[in-house]
Amino acid sequence: MSTVSETRKPRRKAAARKTTKAGARSASSSSSRTDAVVARSEVLIIGAGFAGLGSAIRLRQQGIEDIVILERATDVGGTWRDNTYPGAACDIPSNLYSFSFAQNPEWSRSFSGGSEILRYVHHLADHYNLRPLVRFEHNVESMQYDDQRGVWCVKTSKGVFEGRSVVMAQGPLSNASLPNIAGIEDYQGHKIHSAMWDHDYDFEGKRVAVIGTGASGIQIIPELVKKAGFVKVFQRTPGWVLPRPDFETPGWNKALFRRFPASQDAMRKALYLFHESVALGIIWDTPLTALVERIGRLHLRMQVKDRWLRRQLTPDFRIGCKRVLMSSDYYPALQKDNCKLITWPIARLSEKGIRTVEGIEHQFDCIVFATGFDVSHSGTPFPVTGRDGRVLGEEWSGGAQAYKSINVSGYPNLYMTFGPNSGPGHNSALVYMEAQIDYLVRGIQTLRERKLKALDVKPDAQRAFNRDIQRRLAKTNWNSGCKSWYLTEDGFNATMFPGFATQFARQMAAFDLGDYTELPA
Amino acid sequence: MASIDLEKMLVKIKNTQWSLADIDWEAPGAELITEEQWPKLKEFMSDLMWIEHVGARAFAAMAKKAPNDTLREIYNYFHAEEQRHANAEMALMKRWGMLEGDEIPEPNINLRLVIEWLDRYADEMPVYVLGTVVPMLEIALDGALCTFLLETVDDPVCHQAFEKINDDESRHLGVGFTVMEMQGHGKTYIKAAKMLAPLLDPRLLLGIASYFPLLNKMRDNVIAMGLPEEKLYAAMNKFEKIGGRTADGRRNPWFQIIRQHAKFVVNRSNRVYHVPVDAVVRLTGHIPRRALPAVPSWVKELTYRPAA
């Protein structure tokens, strides 16, 4: 584990000298220690996960070296550093869940586990020598744009950082959320959230509850059933589960990829095209949707013989409306002698366990919350103040909007990875991420080449873009009537991109300077 | 009477949950059950418990067909609440020494046939059908059986449990009659025809074939317990009165059918109805249990234990 947290001391001294009246408004407004300007750079990246590190790699490849990465934890890795629960793995084949510019011929399985993905992220950080850029244990508290100087002042727990451009790469799934269940504080047993796993807890012989049967729940359950005394799984809504063809990569395959990287490219392309074709079934309601649903139902029928259990596990919404789950060992695990699916609504948590509406108190030694993340649809993870004191969270209160998912008008030189409407439902998130990274690199390059102070997207361009996105979303399965974390309470979809990954990549490939206001230096 | 606001009802349902652990099943009073009462009460409670459980399964089916998310969630809660009633009634039976070890009382053959039908076909039935039959069964339960139980049993724990059960049931009935009125809203011929179309469905005819004898069997059990059958009929008349209080309610063709059927049941001099149905009750009594398929696994979810 890296402890390279203070590698920029020379810069810090230089930066300290620059702490003058020209400092950030937020910095000068308070005399507290954390408001001192620590460093200034051309680009500030928030978050050292896949997106933050990927951005740094691509920026450097284009000759942009003056980069600081702010990371709240003590190591790189983002979601793969935090989500270390047993069974954590990716739903997308490893060959596609990796950067095209940093392929790994050594993946041990077709769908690698979380620890191997995290090793890949560490490899990126080490191979590209990114750790010196990272300021660990720097939690971003707020950020504010200084119109006069054209810089962003980012207030962290350890001082203010200034940057000409900022990449918000903190990730959409970075804040674990406990469900809003009555009595959650009353429960006296052990509590674990999937994103903050307690590796010291011994499940051997314990009575365990798992609340949540989403993407992390269905990965945790088969592992817990192997260890715990008894596992009760609390399900609210059954999801569509498709088989997951996970197998060990043979040695010859790795050797082939090592010797002929083009073969890995070809494999990646084939996987990409296969996932693109799946979009036809799960993003829109087409004849393929019925086919994919049939595969899901067949999978259930083959793995679950009991009629009532099958009924409990049959989804009542169109496939694709919520995240499609991939697992071949979830249904068998539920039917083990030491496992039971509970579908009664939860009334409340009590001192010893969970009271469900059929009147029974289910008692446990430990409750595992696989209840996902606090996905912010309308707010921002910390206050972001743009030009003329405008606040992004307020502007987004009716639903988040951006231009091409990456820029917001009134917030110059600010780029978001996985901003509004960039979520994939059928293909690798990293394909989308690469397209966004290449776009932000072009934006930052443009600023440099044209010697501009700032680039601010025009409000009209942003409006036109969102009109089109929402019109296209209306025809998708996500907006077909189910409730999901993709939608706000009002049913507004600020999360997903309504199209193929190829369409998203094409959207991001075009950098139309005409859609931006150029602010001269 | 105006229909209830289902959104507010859902909040109320969530806020008024209780569990078996809220009742002290060991509290004194079990000795108040007399020796004469005991055997009849055992059979009565067993039937009552199974009728609750059948209601639970019907609500589960209704949740599948609910026209909106609020009603779906309400039915999901009602499904669990009916199971809770069955569990509480089992806990009373355990308290009164009517269950050996982990024994689950056996449903009578007519209930067993209804369980079989529900398991196979209920999910396929339109919400109109179950949405009208269930309030009918509930009102009969609420108005007659539970009242009778409280009139004849002195055990305070029984009263405590049924106070909670009756509160739940009143919400079930409130929603039930509101939904019946919702279904009767609009008076086009096409809509009425659409609601009646399932009558041609052989699966529904099978359901009717198990529902008719069930009511007569319930009546026989009630009489065996010493309850004047008029009390049961008075409760069934309430269904007609409440269901028919609005034009929308009266326009629901399923209300009209069930109401008419209730009249047949109540009228003991209608030999055209009662002779064949009573014959079916007797006939079904001869069906060997081994001739029926294994009970569905949801039946095994019942428990008298407050904690698991």
Side-chain angles (χ1 to χ4, degrees), chain B residues 276-288:
Chain B
V277 175
D278 284 341
V280 175
V281 174
R282 279 193 300 278
L283 200 66
T284 49
H286 293 294
I287 298 177

Side-chain angles (χ1 to χ4, degrees), chain B residues 277-305:
Chain B
V277 175
D278 284 341
V280 175
V281 174
R282 279 193 300 278
L283 200 66
T284 49
H286 293 294
I287 298 177
R289 279 177 189 272
R290 63 180 180 279
L292 293 169
V295 286
S297 56
W298 51 268
V299 165
K300 296 168 189 155
E301 295 281 306
L302 288 165
T303 177
Y304 59 85
R305 294 176 204 275

Side-chain angles (χ1 to χ4, degrees), chain B residues 26-297:
Chain B
E26 303 297 324
E31 67 286 356
L32 297 171
I33 304 298
T34 63
E35 285 207 7
E36 303 88 73
Q37 265 180 327
W38 199 89
K40 285 178 185 170
L41 194 56
K42 180 176 178 183
E43 202 171 324
F44 182 91
M45 288 298 287
S46 168
D47 279 357
L48 185 59
M49 187 207 97
W50 280 105
I51 289 166
E52 303 271 18
H53 201 45
V54 161
R57 181 63 184 82
F59 276 125
M62 287 157 80
K64 283 248 178 222
K65 299 279 175 174
N68 59 55
D69 286 347
T70 310
L71 209 48
R72 180 173 303 123
E73 202 171 354
I74 288 177
Y75 285 148
N76 275 330
Y77 269 80
F78 286 180
H79 171 209
E81 288 183 351
E82 293 289 355
Q83 174 101 6
R84 176 168 70 205
H85 300 168
N87 286 340
E89 285 150 16
M90 243 177 102
L92 280 174
M93 290 181 80
K94 185 75 184 170
R95 166 181 169 80
W96 294 333
M98 293 169 178
L99 300 177
E100 292 288 326
D102 279 342
E103 175 197 352
I104 294 180
E106 284 231 348
N108 70 45
I109 194 77
N110 298 100
L111 277 160
R112 184 68 187 79
L113 290 173
V114 169
I115 289 169
E116 200 53 42
W117 180 84
L118 280 166
D119 193 51
R120 284 185 184 279
Y121 305 116
D123 290 347
E124 314 299 326
M125 286 294 120
V127 77
Y128 322 120
V129 180
L130 292 171
T132 320
V133 175
V134 168
M136 173 73 212
L137 282 173
E138 287 211 301
I139 207 160
L141 264 179
D142 192 41
L145 303 189
C146 299
T147 317
F148 172 71
L149 189 70
L150 296 180
E151 280 172 8
T152 51
V153 173
D154 293 329
D155 182 0
V157 172
C158 176
H159 285 254
Q160 196 189 345
F162 272 90
E163 195 177 320
K164 291 176 184 295
I165 291 173
N166 284 337
D167 280 351
D168 293 343
E169 295 291 2
S170 66
R171 282 187 288 275
H172 295 191
L173 281 173
V175 171
F177 284 111
T178 299
V179 171
M180 278 167 62
E181 285 167 17
M182 278 163 61
Q183 288 162 0
H185 188 67
K187 50 185 166 185
T188 60
Y189 169 78
I190 291 173
K191 184 160 180 176
K194 204 170 145 191
M195 283 173 74
L196 284 173
L199 261 182
L200 301 173
D201 188 334
R203 292 170 302 185
L204 181 68
L205 296 176
L206 260 177
I208 291 170
S210 33
Y211 169 72
F212 282 12
L214 175 67
L215 281 188
N216 278 29
K217 171 78 176 174
M218 269 167 67
R219 178 205 64 204
D220 294 347
N221 289 357
V222 161
I223 295 168
M225 275 292 289
L227 172 76
E229 59 187 293
E230 287 72 27
K231 283 207 173 186
L232 177 65
Y233 302 154
M236 290 170 85
N237 284 334
K238 255 170 94 180
F239 173 81
E240 182 173 8
K241 203 174 143 198
I242 304 175
R245 68 195 166 180
T246 63
D248 282 343
R250 288 190 295 277
R251 211 177 282 123
N252 180 342
W254 281 97
F255 164 72
Q256 293 296 347
I257 291 176
I258 304 282
R259 178 187 73 96
Q260 201 55 51
H261 173 248
K263 279 189 169 174
F264 291 159
V265 177
V266 169
N267 180 8
R268 283 300 290 276
S269 55
N270 181 350
R271 294 176 58 80
V272 178
Y273 177 81
H274 285 285
V275 169
V277 175
D278 284 341
V280 175
V281 174
R282 279 193 300 278
L283 200 66
T284 49
H286 293 294
I287 298 177
R289 279 177 189 272
R290 63 180 180 279
L292 293 169
V295 286
S297 56

